[in-house]
Amino acid sequence: MRRRPWRMTFRYAAEGVMYALRTQINMRIHVVVAFLVIAAGLSLRISRLDWLFVSMAIAMVIVAELINTAVEAAIDLISPDIHPLAKAAKDTAAGAVLLAAVFAVIIGIFVFYRPLLTLISQIF
């Protein structure tokens, strides 16, 4: 078996991310929200520790969405017909995305609550 160049693994990974962005509306929503959260963090000058939590939450949601996309594609290939186990696999993968997104919202509340409260009090 011939080994492929190491750099090709990055290309294949990038192709996977691009596939998810092209085909999955939820992936595009997650990326847009991530950019908005990053802009808010820069504007509100959150701490380095807060950036750590925000970055982890963003990464977790996007990774979960990528895994969900992979599971859905594999299930569609293996079982094009409706099957209870295919549904269970897809629903479980989607549930992982939901939990990651809920966690990210909770992190967002913890990180942005005080800075937003301070900003609002300065405006009014």
Side-chain angles (χ1 to χ4, degrees), residues 15-104:
E15 287 176 5
V17 172
M18 294 310 296
Y19 172 83
L21 283 167
R22 262 192 334 271
T23 63
Q24 305 298 310
I25 185 72
N26 287 341
M27 181 64 156
R28 292 192 295 271
I29 291 169
H30 294 314
V31 169
V32 167
V33 170
F35 279 115
L36 293 173
V37 168
I38 290 167
L42 291 170
S43 298
L44 295 170
R45 296 186 175 158
I46 61 174
S47 72
R48 286 175 51 152
L49 183 61
D50 286 343
W51 274 116
L52 175 67
F53 288 114
V54 167
S55 299
M56 294 274 294
I58 289 170
M60 192 165 55
V61 170
I62 290 173
V63 167
E65 188 63 48
L66 288 167
I67 292 170
N68 182 50
T69 301
V71 167
E72 286 185 359
I75 294 300
D76 288 345
L77 177 65
I78 294 167
S79 178
D81 298 325
I82 296 173
H83 189 282
L85 290 176
K87 180 182 181 334
K90 287 182 171 188
D91 291 351
T92 304
V97 178
L98 176 64
L99 288 177
V102 168
F103 172 77

